[in-house]
Amino acid sequence: MYLYLSEIPRSLYLVTSQQEERRGCPARALVFRAAPNSSCQAIVEFLRKDDVDLTNAVRLTSRIVKGCLGLISIADEMFLVVVTSATEIGNTRPSSRTPETVCQIHDVGFYCLTSSLWDDLSLNSDSLASTTFGDQNDMYARDYNASGSATPAPEHPCQPLRKLISTGTFYYASDQWDISSRLQRRITRTEPWDLSAYDDRFVWNEYIIKSLLDFRERLDPSERAEMDQCQFIVLAIQGFVGVCTLALPAPPTNGTPVIATLTLISRLGWKRAGTRFNTRGVDDDGNCANFVETETVFSTDQHCYSYVQVRGSVPLFWEQQGLQTFGQRIQITRPHASQPAFDRHFAGLVEEYGAVHAINLLGTKENEAALTSAYSRHMKSAQHALGDAIGLTSFDFHAAVRIGGHESVFREIRHLESVTDNLDKFGFALADASTDEIVTEQKGVFRTNCLDCLDRTNFVQDILSRTALEQYLMHTRREWIHSGSLWSNHGEMWAENGDALSRIYAGTGALNTGFTRSGKRTLAGVLSDATKSVSRAYINNFQDKGKQAAIDMFVGNLSTQRQVTIFDPIHDSVRAVLESRLSEYSTTKQCTIFAGTWNLNGRPPSSESLLPWLFPRPNAPEPDLFVLGFQEIVPLTAQQIVQTDPEKKRVWESKILDTLERRPNKKSSYILLRSHQLVGTALLVFVKKELTAVMRNVEAASHKTGLRGMSGNKGAVGIRLDYHDTSFCFLTAHFAAGHSNVVERNADYRTIVNGLHFLKGKTIESHQNVVWLADTNYRIDLDNERVRTLALIDDFDALLAADQLRRAMDERAVFEGYQEGPLLFRPTYKYDLGTDNYDTSEKMRVPAWTDRILFKGNSLDLSVYSRAELRCSDHRPVFAIFRAEVRIIDHTKRAALSKLLLENVTSTAPGEKLDEKLASLTFTPEETELPPPSSDDFAWWDDPEHPNGIVIPLPSRNGSHGRSSNPFDSSSDSSISSSPSSSEEELYHALQAPITPAQATTTRRPPPPPPRAGKTASESDS
């Protein structure tokens, strides 16, 4: 197919070529243009080629376009993404009645629908992109212009995406078959092939192609079939596909060799996609980093054999932050709150594959041993719910290699009792080549992992694949087990698979592939592995962040992204009404949040009880969350700034957990949900144990402000989370010290707000509720003696008038839009240790409210704001107790309401036209004009046309045809609850409640009640 551009209106045309039409493809065109004044809504038409006028159109590329990957909005522009270069890998199943051919993508083009600004040919050039992996990550570090100089031209906004997709790791089906699903799943489907039936875990362009798939679904069946024949829409997987054809010895009765096809397909999951140090562990939905389904397919003219295994990161919340070298530092970030996500992960695998047996290849080093221990504990807990369907075998890969070399791993894995038992139990999938029917099904999978799920994992999966294929051959063609070409091709493909997956995740080829290829460990292989290890360390630390951002943009993870939709007035109307009827498919619940901040002056916990701080109101409800911010949790020495000791944080965590556990009248248990530290600043979040399952998407981030952002002695730590469907962001910070350094403190605030980012583009401002609990270091601009005198007599108003933070907020220099409770307690800084005396040292610092809690968000209602009298630091701890409302969305009910609204708006009564019905949903220009606002002397409803406020109802323009004027009204017997709004009469009478001003100068007639019948379309919606 070819791609054309025409202007006025700016449109892009994907048009079938004559060559495709000669092969039986319908002569069709897919036309794209942007909706007026929109960068995220397109108008798409599927037309006959003869109905498209290409007289003034320009062909944008000389290449044959292979298909469309989707539509994406970037930098306020909308782009059409098309495959401009791809090569055929081979037919994965020649014995099938329809070919199952795979193509590898080498280059893509991004063509703008909204502007001609990006029409230069620098991005969409006809020069083929390199299909090699060698310097793949260099593309994320630098660009070179055509002359080879190192001064890059202004970069196309889609350049990072093009680099990502053009690396040779994306594949698509060139025929009508589903490359995203394994053989067993495809064949057991009862319906014929349908483009919309795919495994959504592995289709990487689902986010950008979704609108086109929805458009396709709304076509007539005949048009939909023609669109599929044209192959306008491409569904792409990422991973590896290898196909080789080989001749195997013939049966004794026939001298002709048997032609067999060996295929290896690895499908990388996108739901927790990312690079090595940026994406680890599991998310709250149970999706794992580097999750790959790998299928070995062996096809002859009689049978088609399929064997599936999976790999994935250890399904706990863990990460590796900071500069990583060869001794990677691992932090299990939610050690007590991983079980719900762990259970979801394995429950999903069991539902998809049947039984699951995990093989953990981590070693006995401190970091890996901690993960192994936590993995075992969580597995035992999960077995209570899932029983024998899941199991775990731990095998120290490195220890086995040290003792007996890589050859010993091959022997030991094949002789592990848990492995051999489950190989027999799980079996493999086998299909009859002539009938395409399943003969045997695979009843379970092995889930293998190491730390990165790359080198060790690939090595062991190769062994399992070979062992399972040998089992199949034992039952069919025993003599093929001794075929050297079969196993050499099998080993070569697994080595290439390891290299491909490693380049995607870590930036270099896999280690140990020399042994996988040849069965021997050589000096050249050792040197190659050492070089790859050094390259990984550099790439992962300095280049992966750019690649991570491109991945997040491609799969729609960025919080600032808006998905492109295709203009559809029916569905757009339904979406708008769904938003307005939120209360019908959601509920709210009340919760309590305790927020506290305390500058510890570098001191460890003392014998002093924390109960006066954590439970200041003994009879109050127990908080759902404790959010505690600490400053100077370690002394701010040069050694601590360079390499912070995490032990002090752990000591305080233990002290707080002990206090929570031993408190009197305990009703609930608490666990540490998440903690994070930046030198002396630390933030700890504790949650009721029974609520861990509804705390989702918990993330931590930090940002330095000391020494112009180079030092962490000052800065901020943030933790964000979703409590059911309401988002919260908590921040603790330590601003610049010094009485007069107000400008520096203001700058610290702005630096944190602009620089602290969570994953997927989330910022502080992208949350519904934000709470700062910080040592802001703002002081009181009065002389020392005056402040001390006013503090001792509790004259807080006079102190507040001179408070630097309040002045800065009044000037809108900081914390614009935030609230703070009334300051009805004495300044919290600075005290002599262990006393109630303000500073008597030589410096005699001026007392100040340095420790503050500020907040914003419609869900937050402050009930208590005070301080606690703990004396082990030179600051007093401050606390705030919030009543908060969290929303719980019932997604099943939302889908049911959406379906009901859609049926309601698309059904028409006899004689009623759908376009007229849709037109009645909108305001006409003259109907949107509003009267001038009322004044003390004039009421808008009392004018010459409506004396005394009398309104004459107008007849309906279109007539009601015996139906409700609002197509979104649910019927009285609907299964969906009706809106709880009051009737118009009730609303009118409620508005008449007597509100008498102190001195009424005029008497105004009350407004008339709204008309009850015969409204116009505009009146019924106003």
Side-chain angles (χ1 to χ4, degrees):
M1 63 190 77
Y2 299 120
L3 181 65
Y4 292 90
L5 166 70
S6 70
E7 298 286 356
I8 314 176
R10 185 176 177 86
S11 304
L12 292 173
Y13 305 85
L14 267 180
V15 182
T16 53
S17 66
Q18 291 182 351
Q19 184 180 0
E20 291 166 324
E21 290 159 14
R22 282 194 293 269
R23 293 200 302 262
C25 176
R28 284 288 196 162
L30 197 59
V31 185
F32 303 84
R33 65 179 183 274
N37 304 316
S38 175
S39 63
C40 58
Q41 189 170 61
I43 298 171
V44 178
E45 295 176 281
F46 184 54
L47 305 174
R48 298 196 179 280
K49 188 174 176 180
D50 295 341
D51 297 336
V52 176
D53 182 9
L54 298 176
T55 308
N56 298 316
V58 177
R59 187 172 164 188
L60 288 176
T61 173
S62 60
R63 295 178 181 178
I64 301 293
V65 174
K66 308 297 183 181
C68 172
L69 285 171
L71 293 158
I72 190 167
S73 177
I74 300 174
D76 293 325
E77 304 280 13
M78 189 181 350
F79 296 89
L80 175 69
V81 192
V82 295
V83 179
T84 55
S85 176
T87 55
E88 189 174 296
I89 298 296
N91 186 351
T92 64
R93 198 158 67 103
S95 59
S96 172
R97 284 173 288 185
T98 57
E100 296 188 353
T101 308
V102 178
C103 289
Q104 181 182 29
I105 297 175
H106 299 303
D107 202 6
V108 292
F110 289 78
Y111 297 92
C112 190
L113 282 168
T114 49
S115 168
S116 60
L117 183 64
W118 307 106
D119 282 353
D120 63 90
L121 300 181
S122 60
L123 181 66
N124 305 308
S125 63
D126 286 345
S127 60
L128 276 170
S130 171
T131 61
T132 63
F133 286 106
D135 298 318
Q136 170 187 338
N137 280 277
D138 288 346
M139 296 190 297
Y140 294 94
R142 64 183 184 271
D143 287 314
Y144 291 92
N145 60 24
S147 64
S149 64
T151 304
E155 188 174 72
H156 192 290
C158 302
Q159 184 73 357
L161 277 181
R162 185 200 183 194
K163 293 173 182 175
L164 175 72
I165 305 170
S166 303
T167 51
T169 60
F170 285 86
Y171 301 83
Y172 67 93
S174 67
D175 302 300
Q176 293 190 351
W177 71 286
D178 177 17
I179 191 176
S180 69
S181 300
R182 62 191 186 278
L183 177 71
Q184 180 174 311
R185 183 172 180 173
R186 295 199 307 271
I187 292 182
T188 52
R189 287 174 182 152
T190 55
E191 304 84 7
W193 174 86
D194 186 345
L195 183 66
S196 61
Y198 57 86
D199 192 331
D200 65 351
R201 298 175 298 165
F202 305 122
V203 174
W204 271 67
N205 61 322
E206 184 184 52
Y207 175 77
I208 63 174
I209 201 69
K210 185 69 169 67
S211 59
L212 277 175
L213 289 174
D214 292 342
F215 170 80
R216 171 189 170 276
E217 283 298 306
R218 295 193 289 268
L219 295 175
D220 292 333
S222 59
E223 286 188 310
R224 193 182 311 148
E226 288 192 348
M227 188 174 187
D228 292 343
Q229 276 185 279
C230 297
Q231 292 190 287
F232 283 122
I233 294 178
V234 168
L235 301 181
I237 66 166
Q238 188 178 23
F240 172 78
V241 179
V243 181
C244 74
T245 302
L246 58 157
L248 295 173
T253 56
N254 186 346
T256 307
V258 174
I259 304 300
T261 302
L262 182 65
T263 302
L264 193 65
I265 304 176
S266 280
R267 306 172 178 97
L268 176 64
W270 63 268
K271 293 192 175 182
R272 185 160 173 76
T275 53
R276 187 183 181 201
F277 290 140
N278 291 299
T279 312
R280 294 292 206 187
V282 72
D283 67 14
D284 285 286
D285 295 318
N287 302 307
C288 272
N290 204 20
F291 180 81
V292 184
E293 177 190 87
T294 302
E295 181 179 21
T296 307
V297 180
F298 183 72
S299 179
T300 66
D301 56 355
Q302 290 185 322
H303 299 109
C304 186
Y305 155 97
S306 163
Y307 184 73
V308 172
Q309 354 177 18
V310 296
R311 68 175 74 182
S313 188
V314 175
L316 304 171
F317 292 104
W318 63 281
E319 61 187 35
Q320 291 171 284
Q321 290 195 341
L323 192 66
Q324 301 290 330
T325 53
F326 302 105
Q328 295 96 353
R329 299 183 298 275
I330 292 173
Q331 181 188 8
I332 301 178
T333 56
R334 291 158 67 178
H336 307 291
S338 291
Q339 194 67 51
F342 186 96
D343 293 348
R344 288 187 191 105
H345 174 71
F346 274 96
L349 292 182
V350 168
E351 182 181 359
E352 180 65 35
Y353 300 107
V356 180
H357 191 83
I359 301 177
N360 174 35
L361 304 175
L362 294 176
T364 55
K365 293 179 182 177
E366 179 185 355
N367 281 329
E368 294 193 358
L371 271 179
T372 295
S373 175
Y375 199 170
S376 299
R377 287 197 312 272
H378 284 77
M379 180 63 78
K380 288 177 182 175
S381 296
Q383 284 173 331
H384 293 311
L386 297 172
D388 295 337
I390 59 174
L392 173 65
T393 295
S394 291
F395 178 82
D396 189 338
F397 184 96
H398 287 323
V401 170
R402 281 194 301 271
I403 295 169
H406 286 78
E407 297 85 352
S408 68
V409 176
F410 186 85
R411 293 191 302 270
E412 290 185 41
I413 287 290
R414 289 164 66 108
H415 289 95
L416 283 173
E417 185 177 351
S418 59
V419 172
T420 55
D421 288 351
N422 283 299
L423 272 168
D424 294 336
K425 176 183 171 184
F426 296 161
F428 46 79
L430 191 65
D432 188 302
S434 59
T435 62
D436 240 10
E437 293 179 354
I438 287 288
V439 178
T440 64
E441 290 188 352
Q442 185 174 341
K443 299 177 179 65
V445 294
F446 286 100
R447 183 201 189 278
T448 311
N449 73 272
C450 50
L451 193 65
D452 301 318
C453 302
L454 297 176
D455 316 314
R456 290 173 276 180
T457 297
N458 198 73
F459 192 95
V460 170
Q461 285 195 323
D462 170 39
I463 297 170
L464 296 174
S465 174
R466 174 167 179 160
T467 306
L469 184 53
E470 285 176 352
Q471 281 191 348
Y472 160 69
L473 295 176
M474 285 288 290
H475 291 91
T476 53
R477 300 298 297 274
R478 189 179 294 247
E479 67 273 19
W480 290 352
I481 294 176
H482 307 291
S483 168
S485 62
L486 173 60
W487 300 122
S488 64
N489 279 290
H490 181 274
E492 182 68 28
M493 264 198 286
W494 270 99
E496 290 177 1
N497 177 70
D499 281 342
L501 297 177
S502 181
R503 287 189 181 105
I504 293 169
Y505 192 55
T508 72
L511 311 184
N512 305 322
T513 51
F515 186 89
T516 305
R517 284 186 168 92
S518 63
K520 299 177 182 178
R521 186 70 165 159
T522 64
L523 176 61
V526 172
L527 294 175
S528 173
D529 288 351
T531 303
K532 290 172 183 175
S533 295
V534 173
S535 299
R536 278 185 186 178
Y538 174 78
I539 290 168
N540 299 157
N541 282 299
F542 301 109
Q543 296 181 7
D544 274 355
K545 286 191 177 178
K547 185 177 178 182
Q548 182 70 51
I551 291 170
D552 287 336
M553 187 187 300
F554 185 40
V555 300
N557 277 343
L558 298 179
S559 62
T560 54
Q561 272 183 285
R562 294 183 64 189
Q563 190 171 21
V564 173
T565 59
I566 292 176
F567 177 71
D568 175 3
I570 295 175
H571 286 79
D572 292 346
S573 300
V574 168
R575 276 192 292 269
V577 173
L578 271 177
E579 292 300 317
S580 68
R581 294 174 69 165
L582 177 64
S583 61
E584 296 184 42
Y585 53 86
S586 68
T587 56
T588 59
K589 71 174 248 186
Q590 298 296 319
C591 68
T592 304
I593 299 173
F594 178 99
T597 180
W598 194 7
N599 186 311
L600 296 171
N601 194 28
R603 304 184 68 81
S606 67
S607 58
E608 193 174 28
S609 172
L610 300 180
L611 286 174
W613 181 36
L614 300 179
F615 294 94
R617 305 289 188 270
N619 298 322
E622 292 185 339
D624 295 47
L625 285 166
F626 280 93
V627 184
L628 306 177
F630 294 106
Q631 305 81 40
E632 296 187 43
I633 200 169
V634 297
L636 298 182
T637 62
Q639 180 181 354
Q640 290 286 351
I641 292 171
V642 172
Q643 187 170 9
T644 303
D645 178 14
E647 185 58 32
K648 294 286 182 69
K649 177 171 72 73
R650 287 197 283 266
V651 170
W652 275 101
E653 288 171 356
S654 298
K655 172 73 173 179
I656 293 163
L657 280 170
D658 185 65
T659 302
L660 294 174
E661 190 63 27
R662 296 173 179 269
R663 70 190 186 277
N665 304 317
K666 187 181 80 167
K667 298 175 183 175
S668 300
S669 294
Y670 290 88
I671 63 164
L672 176 64
L673 180 68
R674 188 71 162 89
S675 66
H676 198 65
Q677 181 177 3
L678 173 67
V679 188
T681 306
L683 186 59
L684 284 59
V685 177
F686 301 85
V687 63
K688 284 182 178 178
K689 193 171 183 178
E690 62 267 25
L691 295 176
T692 53
V694 297
M695 301 290 170
R696 302 166 72 89
N697 303 316
V698 182
E699 300 170 21
S702 60
H703 194 73
K704 301 173 183 177
T705 59
L707 298 178
R708 297 186 177 180
M710 294 185 292
S711 171
N713 64 313
K714 295 291 188 288
V717 173
I719 293 177
R720 61 91 50 216
L721 56 88
D722 294 328
Y723 185 175
H724 285 293
D725 295 291
T726 301
S727 62
F728 292 87
C729 178
F730 303 103
L731 301 119
T732 188
H734 198 183
F735 290 177
H739 191 99
S740 60
N741 290 335
V742 177
V743 173
E744 288 79 0
R745 287 189 274 277
N746 294 350
D748 283 351
Y749 168 79
R750 291 191 295 271
T751 300
I752 293 165
V753 169
N754 294 327
L756 191 146
H757 297 281
F758 298 97
L759 296 176
K760 303 176 182 178
K762 291 188 288 288
T763 64
I764 296 171
E765 295 302 315
S766 59
H767 293 83
Q768 294 166 300
N769 305 282
V770 183
V771 181
W772 287 73
L773 31 143
D775 180 354
T776 64
N777 255 322
Y778 285 97
R779 310 303 172 90
I780 296 173
D781 283 333
L782 294 174
D783 65 79
N784 200 335
E785 197 58 42
R786 176 73 172 155
V787 172
R788 290 170 185 250
T789 301
L790 292 172
L792 290 175
I793 64 173
D794 295 337
D795 189 349
F796 303 134
D797 289 342
L799 293 173
L800 191 59
D803 179 64
Q804 292 176 348
L805 177 56
R806 282 297 172 91
R807 287 178 177 174
M809 290 176 69
D810 290 343
E811 294 166 0
R812 297 187 175 183
V814 294
F815 293 106
E816 187 173 358
Y818 285 85
Q819 303 177 57
E820 184 182 19
L823 287 166
L824 302 177
F825 51 88
R826 293 181 180 181
T828 54
Y829 169 85
K830 175 185 184 184
Y831 284 89
D832 292 337
L833 290 175
T835 74
D836 291 329
N837 303 321
Y838 284 117
D839 186 17
T840 58
S841 68
E842 183 180 347
K843 293 186 178 179
M844 287 280 288
R845 291 177 180 83
V846 180
W849 283 300
T850 56
D851 310 284
R852 312 288 275 268
I853 298 177
L854 301 103
F855 65 97
K856 70 175 179 179
N858 294 330
S859 300
L860 296 171
D861 180 21
L862 180 66
S863 59
V864 179
Y865 187 37
S866 188
R867 76 177 208 175
E869 300 306 320
L870 303 185
R871 298 175 177 82
C872 72
S873 170
D874 58 357
H875 290 246
R876 292 290 189 266
V878 172
F879 64 89
I881 300 176
F882 297 96
R883 289 188 297 267
E885 184 178 80
V886 296
R887 186 164 291 279
I888 308 166
I889 294 177
D890 186 332
H891 295 280
T892 303
K893 199 169 185 179
R894 185 184 190 277
L897 178 59
S898 176
K899 182 180 178 182
L900 185 69
L901 294 174
L902 190 60
E903 291 172 352
N904 204 355
V905 76
T906 53
S907 61
T908 55
E912 185 180 21
K913 294 182 179 179
L914 181 59
D915 55 352
E916 292 179 354
K917 185 171 184 177
L918 290 173
S920 71
L921 302 179
T922 60
F923 297 122
T924 60
E926 63 270 19
E927 290 171 335
T928 59
E929 294 181 5
L930 298 175
S934 303
S935 65
D936 290 339
D937 302 318
F938 172 76
W940 65 263
W941 59 84
D942 189 6
D943 60 21
E945 294 183 13
H946 309 94
N948 298 319
I950 297 174
V951 178
I952 307 299
L954 298 176
S956 173
R957 179 171 299 177
N958 296 316
S960 65
H961 298 286
R963 299 172 59 89
S964 168
S965 61
N966 186 353
F968 297 110
D969 281 341
S970 302
S971 60
S972 58
D973 57 351
S974 165
S975 59
I976 306 297
S977 60
S978 60
S979 174
S981 58
S982 304
S983 68
E984 293 168 336
E985 290 82 5
E986 290 171 333
L987 182 62
Y988 166 66
H989 291 299
L991 291 172
Q992 306 313 304
I995 302 176
T996 307
Q999 292 182 341
T1001 56
T1002 61
T1003 303
R1004 183 180 297 174
R1005 299 184 183 90
R1012 297 183 178 84
K1015 304 174 193 172
T1016 63
S1018 65
E1019 288 168 333
S1020 66
D1021 283 336
S1022 60

